[in-house]
DNA sequence: TTAATTGCAAAACTTTTGCAGAGAT
DNA sequence: ATCTCTGCAAAAGTTTTGCAATTAA
């Protein structure tokens, strides 16, 4: 039931000397199968639908490992737990502090800051780990008409 | 023992109908007295040096209240607890993922992104709540010579 | 075989909450 | 006097860890 995308990841992992277990397979299957950003708790539920015995601690350890390997990334959308997703397709998250809507924007939006931080501060920015908080168009409009 | 800055905040709070208690006084004194960014735990220790009976829960409630009033802000530097500081003097934090060094840069650095997010996405950015993670000059140099 | 990985249970860590009493205005 | 705020204790929510057993390679 693993998608082609998941299968490719299995191969990559094996090539890097990692073991493919039923827990890891299930985690990768879930992540490869969705565009959502999942908390560990959501990930656990989804994994448990396929593999009821996989333990919460294993999910934590698995995403940690996958993160070290650069295969998953996590992001903080706000307070509360981090959300995980596959590491391809990097993008930046805008979170509306009013309605919670999440908008994904290309990393290119940050190129200017990236350049300035590098030139003026010698600081090399990593792909954004945190979201940008603010207010979306719709909520802004609503606020104006109030 | 309250600094002039702290005293001004007492006045502001009273003017806004808030009560000045020994816990709140202590919290404000600590925050007004440092340029550091403190976790609640650090804040608690500092507060307890002056007021040993002030409880952890009260510190949480106090910073929450002060945040609602716009008097303090908190920022996430990385994983782990948030850090609190007085709300004036807004700046953006760069955190080096290698050595942990924190660099403060003026918010102006983000003006370009702010503009693009507004123009292209109708999104109004709030003063940055999250830090920018990356690698500082020194760690970058060290990595190159290895 | 054997070293990595897991399940479990327990703990660690951060934050929140209900409630009765203390305290600021 | 009134109503906010506090201390306490307990719980809730998230993540980590030690260890023995399992399992992929």
């Amino acid at each position: 039931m693993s998608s082609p995308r998941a299968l490719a990841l299995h191969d990559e992992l094996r090539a890097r000397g990692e073991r493919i277990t039923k827990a890891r397979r299930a985690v990768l299957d879930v992540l490869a199968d969705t565009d959502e950003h999942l908390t560990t708790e959501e990930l656990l539920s989804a994994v448990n639908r396929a593999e009821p015995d996989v333990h919460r601690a294993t999910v934590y350890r698995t995403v940690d490992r996958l993160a070290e390997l650069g295969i998953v990334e996590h992001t903080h959308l706000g307070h509360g737990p981090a959300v995980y997703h596959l590491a391809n397709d990097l993008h930046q998250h805008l979170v509306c502090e009013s309605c919670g809507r999440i908008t994904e924007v290309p990393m290119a939006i940050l190129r200017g800051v990236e350049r300035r931080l590098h030139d003026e501060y010698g600081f090399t920015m990593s792909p954004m780990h945190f979201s940008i908080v603010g207010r979306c168009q719709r909520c802004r409009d609503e606020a104006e008409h109030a």
Side-chain angles (χ1 to χ4, degrees), chain A:
Chain A
M1 303 283 276
S2 296
S3 67
R5 199 177 178 193
L7 289 172
L9 289 170
H10 297 176
D11 289 347
E12 179 181 345
L13 283 172
R14 254 187 285 259
R16 297 228 246 153
E18 293 293 316
R19 292 184 179 178
I20 303 301
T21 64
K22 82 178 175 205
R24 292 179 170 190
R25 194 163 13 237
V27 168
L28 287 171
D29 284 355
V30 169
L31 290 176
D33 215 41
T34 181
D35 289 329
E36 306 284 309
H37 296 60
L38 305 175
T39 64
T40 33
E41 211 58 26
E42 293 163 339
L43 195 43
L44 177 65
S45 311
V47 163
N48 279 350
R49 257 169 254 139
E51 297 287 352
D53 290 340
V54 170
H55 195 271
R56 172 187 274 91
T58 302
V59 170
Y60 276 96
R61 282 188 282 225
T62 300
V63 291
D64 272 9
R65 192 84 196 89
L66 293 175
E68 283 172 24
L69 295 166
I71 289 177
V72 313
E73 304 261 356
H74 73 267
T75 308
H76 303 268
L77 295 179
H79 290 189
V83 293
Y84 292 82
H85 57 99
L86 290 185
N88 47 6
D89 188 35
L90 277 183
H91 50 258
Q92 175 59 34
H93 301 91
L94 311 181
V95 183
C96 176
E97 62 197 345
S98 182
C99 70
R101 182 195 316 270
I102 295 167
T103 309
E104 298 182 357
V105 301
M107 292 304 295
I109 202 90
L110 292 168
R111 203 144 296 151
V113 202
E114 201 168 355
R115 168 92 152 278
R116 287 190 64 185
L117 290 179
H118 181 268
D119 293 352
E120 297 171 28
Y121 297 90
F123 188 88
T124 310
M125 213 180 105
S126 298
M128 272 283 233
H129 187 67
F130 290 113
S131 53
I132 294 177
V133 178
R135 199 172 260 234
C136 71
Q137 180 100 62
R138 186 193 302 192
C139 289
R140 188 159 183 68
D141 291 347
E142 277 171 18
E144 265 170 25
H145 303 163

